[in-house]
Amino acid sequence: MKPTADRPRAVSTLDKRVASLDDAVLAMAQTRDFGKHTKLRRLLEALRRVLVQPGGAAAVQARARALEEAGLFLGTDWASPEILIPALVGPGLHAGDADTVVMEACSELRTLAVARGEYAHPSISAEDAREFLTQVLAMNLELLFTPPTEAERAQQGRTAQLIRDLFRHLADEIGYDSVLDKLVEEIWRILRQRPIQVDQVQSLITRIAVYRGDPDVDLGNSAGQGIDRLITALFGTTEACREDPGVEVFRSRLQAMDNGDLQYEAAGFARAMHDTGLVSPYHAELLRFLRHKSDYLLGEALGLSDTGRNCLLRYSELVHRLIEDAVHPQTAQCIYGLALLLDRGILYEAPVVPALWRQLALELSEHARERLTTVFGDEPGPEARLTAGVLSMLGLPLGVGQGDNPTCQSARALSMWAYNDPDYLLQMVVWAARDDEIIMHFEGQPISSKDSESGVASTLPMDLDPVSLLVVPHLDRIYAEMGRRCAGRPGDPHRWVNPEFHGWWAARGFRINVDVETGNLIELDTFLRQFHASYHPAYNGGQPLIHPQPAGVAVTDSAARYVGWHAITILRVAADPQEVMRVYFYNPNNDSGQDWGDGVVVSTAGNGERFGEASLPFDQFASRLYIFHADPLEHGEPEKVPGADVERIIDFIERSWGADRLPGGRLQAAKDPHA
């Protein structure tokens, strides 16, 4: 077993930390049982320092027997692995206490060593150990490939990534066969949200594909037609690339085809792309080939609607250049963005076409080139990467993610501009990529990202799409500076910051149900009635939402405990297929399908959601809302909202994030005499 990665710096750091770990294990082993607790702190810290390193999990696995015999688990439930319950592993790993996470991680790695036959344990067999880990993986699928949630980032810091590295190691060692069906279901759940960044999903599909190719592995009859669709979407989409022959062989096959065969290929790629949201590298090669053939075949390969075809024909020169510059096998995912951009019809907005020509000719600053190359590599060049990122963001405005960074405000702004004001987004990209500076105005006064102090993020974010990678650091500093300029004003600074930061369409009316000074809930009845009157069709005259609106929610965990404030965008309010009134919203937190406790589970599909939308029933959404904007001149009919509806929402609040924020005892909603 080789617990190290092929990176000299990582190897050196890991070796040093493993040596310290071995010393700590020896010290505990040489101590009598009654004194082992005095050595525990040193050992836990040494374990944590090893586990956060690449290859650290394998190093701890190799020392599983030594750790147990030294007394790491002495006096705890972990000392008896035969009584451990798989369902409790997840809560243990999500515990706020870092020591508990380290102990749980070591317990799983001990079980893995037993399952692999490396440690003959007296109380658990290798078969039982494998079954235990299979259940753990199946119950915690999100830890295999989804980034940390808002709650995890707030509560665990770097430990959240340690947990994910642990689970990837467990999956690589145990294999995916027994959890394949559930894995496929989870992959489809993520893909239905149509994120811009799909690297982790692609990596997982690739690993499963390799695993399935192992002749010694029997995945059984339930090995999943669903995974076949995902694998072929990436590697064997059509007849010409069925056996994954490589790009050069595929290109030679295209050259030998007539138009009928090319149309068959084009339709196959388009169908797979729109079905899964994934794009094969072969699709990029096909598009580059077809731009020399005909726009009709290009439209077939992109799977365009009538609107998209009209845009392609009207602006064919621009589309050809975008394909030439941005579409490569390494950036194939942007093809989906290009197709949806054309289908949105935004090229008919007067500024967008010249702005995209400017993007194609843009000279990047040295800093921008370095950032893009560091994260994405130098093939293709940083200009191509950035243009590909622009296509993805304009096509998938609800697919923007904040990564593992506290920059939800900036991610929301980018999404909102791509959705609502694409030429403004393109201007932001130019300022950030060419000038290394963005200047915005707050109440008439300029704010430069160069001159502003640090933002919300303490380090430069790296796990972002190309556009976010360059623009978010500037927006983050400007957003923080706007907040600083509100210092001393009464109330919440978002009242002034949101309209200035996001755009004129962010309504100037502002409602908040938390007193900033005390943190207590205030005017809940008025707040909830006004939210109904502003957004619920039954109380706002049936007026649909025109522009997406910034809002703030109190995020809670699956036990309905308060985690923190989070920025989202309200997109629309409508009845779902079951005639339940729902709020459809954008959440920048990478995976919108979250359990907020007390039965409040955010839906991303199956309740009328469009790709990228999250939704909740109106009352459940209102129970987590703490800030919203509304037009102050449109009053609606707040007095007609039934008191029972308001009371039900207040009950939700009292049972969750508002439990410790109730001044003077329980708040009662005013009873509506007409209810």
Side-chain angles (χ1 to χ4, degrees):
M1 180 178 300
K2 295 182 179 179
T4 59
D6 296 328
R7 289 181 288 183
R9 289 179 62 189
V11 169
S12 175
T13 302
L14 180 60
D15 285 346
K16 292 177 182 178
R17 295 186 176 185
V18 165
S20 297
L21 172 60
D22 289 339
D23 290 342
V25 173
L26 182 61
M28 177 175 275
Q30 293 175 340
T31 303
R32 293 181 180 272
D33 286 357
F34 65 82
K36 287 187 184 293
H37 69 278
T38 63
K39 307 296 182 182
L40 185 59
R41 167 54 43 213
R42 175 187 174 190
L43 181 55
L44 288 174
E45 182 59 24
L47 284 165
R48 187 193 65 78
R49 287 169 57 80
V50 169
L51 286 169
V52 297
Q53 287 294 306
V60 173
Q61 176 187 340
R63 290 157 177 79
R65 181 171 191 151
L67 285 165
E68 181 156 26
E69 291 178 347
L72 172 62
F73 302 117
L74 190 66
T76 71
D77 288 344
W78 291 297
S80 304
E82 71 279 6
I83 69 169
L84 297 179
I85 301 172
L88 298 181
V89 172
L93 289 171
H94 286 95
D97 180 43
D99 289 347
T100 302
V101 174
V102 170
M103 290 287 281
E104 191 67 71
C106 290
S107 176
E108 307 323 311
L109 291 169
R110 173 192 57 184
T111 307
L112 178 58
V114 174
R116 298 281 292 171
E118 299 162 4
Y119 177 15
H121 200 279
S123 59
I124 183 173
S125 68
E127 183 179 352
D128 289 342
R130 176 176 288 274
E131 176 63 22
F132 180 89
L133 290 176
T134 295
Q135 293 182 54
V136 169
L137 286 169
M139 292 176 179
N140 298 276
L141 293 176
E142 75 283 356
L143 296 178
L144 279 176
F145 56 95
T146 59
T149 66
E150 193 78 16
E152 290 171 304
R153 279 200 300 272
Q155 294 172 351
Q156 296 180 324
R158 289 186 63 193
T159 305
Q161 191 57 48
L162 179 159
I163 295 169
R164 275 151 177 78
D165 293 341
L166 166 70
F167 265 71
R168 291 193 184 99
H169 178 72
L170 293 175
D172 285 340
E173 292 289 308
I174 284 293
Y176 295 93
D177 49 338
S178 51
V179 293
L180 184 59
D181 284 343
K182 291 185 179 179
L183 275 173
V184 171
E185 181 182 336
E186 183 70 4
I187 291 171
W188 280 106
R189 189 186 68 80
I190 295 293
L191 289 177
R192 278 194 292 269
Q193 299 177 54
R194 293 300 193 261
I196 290 175
Q197 293 177 279
V198 293
D199 293 350
Q200 289 179 310
V201 170
Q202 289 176 332
S203 174
L204 184 63
I205 294 171
T206 301
R207 288 154 70 186
I208 294 175
V210 171
Y211 194 71
R212 291 183 75 195
D214 188 336
D216 297 328
V217 175
D218 179 14
L219 296 180
N221 296 327
S222 65
Q225 294 77 13
I227 193 61
D228 286 331
R229 289 165 64 197
L230 295 170
I231 292 173
T232 56
L234 289 178
F235 304 115
T237 316
T238 62
E239 287 300 323
C241 62
R242 184 69 64 199
E243 78 281 23
D244 193 15
V247 170
E248 292 187 5
V249 173
F250 178 67
R251 187 187 309 120
S252 68
R253 292 175 179 176
L254 293 179
Q255 292 168 348
M257 290 183 185
D258 59 22
N259 281 351
D261 290 336
L262 288 172
Q263 182 173 354
Y264 183 78
E265 287 289 307
F269 278 109
R271 186 164 51 249
M273 176 178 71
H274 287 283
D275 179 34
T276 64
L278 296 172
V279 187
S280 168
Y282 294 109
H283 200 162
E285 192 59 36
L286 175 68
L287 236 60
R288 294 182 67 82
F289 180 80
L290 290 181
R291 68 191 173 90
H292 301 296
K293 285 287 186 179
S294 78
D295 285 345
Y296 172 77
L297 290 175
L298 268 183
E300 288 289 292
L302 291 169
L304 299 178
S305 65
D306 288 343
T307 299
R309 285 186 179 278
N310 289 336
C311 278
L312 169 61
L313 295 175
R314 174 66 179 83
Y315 300 105
S316 61
E317 184 181 359
L318 172 62
V319 175
H320 284 222
R321 271 294 305 278
L322 289 169
I323 293 171
E324 179 184 357
D325 286 16
V327 176
H328 303 273
Q330 301 91 334
T331 59
Q333 196 61 32
C334 78
I335 296 172
Y336 190 44
L338 174 61
L340 297 182
L341 179 161
L342 292 170
D343 275 352
R344 290 182 66 198
I346 61 174
L347 295 187
Y348 289 121
E349 296 182 27
V352 173
V353 168
L356 285 171
W357 279 114
R358 177 182 59 184
Q359 181 67 43
L360 288 166
L362 189 64
E363 292 187 13
L364 306 188
S365 71
E366 191 58 38
H367 174 70
R369 295 177 63 85
E370 181 181 345
R371 286 271 287 159
L372 289 166
T373 302
T374 298
V375 174
F376 299 105
D378 54 9
E379 185 63 36
E383 293 85 359
R385 286 284 183 183
L386 182 57
T387 302
V390 165
L391 295 179
S392 291
M393 190 168 287
L394 290 178
L396 294 157
L398 303 183
V400 180
Q402 69 187 81
D404 188 16
N405 310 286
T407 51
C408 52
Q409 292 276 357
S410 299
R412 176 175 69 180
L414 290 175
S415 170
M416 193 178 289
W417 298 332
Y419 185 93
N420 192 53
D421 200 356
D423 53 295
Y424 186 65
L425 171 67
L426 290 167
Q427 181 64 64
M428 286 288 178
V429 173
V430 169
W431 284 333
R434 182 191 65 195
D435 306 329
D436 287 330
E437 179 183 30
I438 289 178
I439 297 176
M440 299 178 73
H441 288 76
F442 182 72
E443 298 177 344
Q445 299 301 311
I447 297 178
S448 166
S449 60
K450 277 186 175 180
D451 299 336
S452 300
E453 300 174 25
S454 61
V456 178
S458 56
T459 58
L460 279 177
M462 304 294 282
D463 54 342
L464 300 174
D465 65 85
V467 172
S468 298
L469 186 74
L470 296 188
V471 181
V472 162
H474 297 278
L475 296 181
D476 185 42
R477 291 193 291 270
I478 290 173
Y479 165 74
E481 178 60 28
M482 287 184 177
R484 285 189 284 268
R485 295 194 181 188
C486 294
R489 299 184 185 185
D492 191 286
H494 293 100
R495 175 189 302 271
W496 303 279
V497 171
N498 280 344
E500 297 282 345
F501 188 67
H502 293 295
W504 66 265
W505 52 84
R508 295 284 168 165
F510 180 82
R511 294 282 182 173
I512 183 170
N513 62 11
V514 176
D515 179 74
V516 175
E517 295 296 324
T518 66
N520 289 335
L521 292 165
I522 55 171
E523 301 179 349
L524 267 187
D525 183 87
T526 302
F527 176 88
L528 293 171
R529 288 181 179 277
Q530 193 56 57
F531 179 62
H532 280 76
S534 300
Y535 287 91
H536 197 298
Y539 309 107
N540 73 354
Q543 173 61 55
L545 188 61
I546 298 172
H547 297 104
Q549 291 296 315
V553 293
V555 175
T556 51
D557 63 16
S558 58
R561 296 171 298 193
Y562 171 74
V563 172
W565 312 119
H566 186 50
I568 56 114
T569 307
I570 300 176
L571 299 170
R572 60 191 180 97
V573 177
D576 68 14
Q578 291 75 42
E579 296 301 318
V580 175
M581 193 62 65
R582 303 181 77 89
V583 178
Y584 296 89
F585 60 98
Y586 160 75
N587 185 344
N589 192 17
N590 307 299
D591 178 10
S592 300
Q594 298 169 4
D595 183 349
W596 287 348
D598 194 25
V600 181
V601 179
V602 181
S603 169
T604 57
N607 289 292
E609 295 88 356
R610 300 164 185 165
F611 287 142
E613 290 182 333
S615 81
L616 281 170
F618 195 94
D619 56 348
Q620 293 187 7
F621 180 85
S623 76
R624 296 301 188 267
L625 186 70
Y626 86 101
I627 277 176
F628 70 90
H629 289 260
D631 190 330
L633 302 180
E634 296 178 358
H635 304 292
E637 298 175 309
E639 71 282 355
K640 291 189 177 180
V641 181
D645 290 358
V646 176
E647 181 71 13
R648 184 173 62 254
I649 297 170
I650 291 178
D651 287 344
F652 270 113
I653 296 172
E654 288 183 342
R655 294 193 300 266
S656 58
W657 66 280
D660 300 323
R661 300 173 182 272
L662 302 173
R666 188 181 188 275
L667 294 182
Q668 292 288 339
K671 298 297 182 182
D672 183 353
H674 303 292

